[in-house]
Amino acid sequence: MEIKTDSYRVIQADENSTIKLEGALRLSGMEEYAPIVDLFNQVVDSSVEKITLDLRELEFLNSSGINVLSKFVIKIRQKQNIQMIVQGSQKVAWQGKSLKNLQRLMPTLQLKWE
């Protein structure tokens, strides 16, 4: 599955267990994030054992997007049987602090830096 616009792209790959986000997510409010949230929920509900969230090419994410990611991590944590890996880039300024905050929400979350 793929969600694509001129400014961003969200791709579900690797037999549903990898979600890659690219570009700049500047959507306003939860309504505009609904298609992405639906994709996240489909992945969580698909009985996978591991989910990889690849954010290395996501250059910008606004506060609504960070809220969406936080809720996604909390939903995975509640499942208790899904391992989560988040791939980030140290070259992207917003990721350093924000991705560590995701790890606080789910201490077993693995952060991998590029």
Side-chain angles (χ1 to χ4, degrees), residues 26-35 37 62-65 67-68:
R26 302 173 198 270
L27 305 176
S28 58
M30 297 306 289
E31 288 182 20
E32 291 190 19
Y33 276 97
V37 170
N62 65 8
S63 60
S64 294
N67 188 30
V68 166

Side-chain angles (χ1 to χ4, degrees), residues 49-63:
E49 295 178 1
K50 179 176 77 175
I51 295 173
T52 301
L53 188 61
D54 184 350
L55 304 174
R56 292 175 294 176
E57 296 181 34
L58 186 62
E59 297 171 6
F60 181 83
L61 183 66
N62 65 8
S63 60

Side-chain angles (χ1 to χ4, degrees), residues 59-78:
E59 297 171 6
F60 181 83
L61 183 66
N62 65 8
S63 60
S64 294
I66 291 172
N67 188 30
V68 166
L69 287 184
S70 298
K71 288 181 178 180
F72 180 51
V73 168
I74 289 169
K75 186 167 185 169
I76 292 171
R77 182 186 69 195
Q78 290 171 339

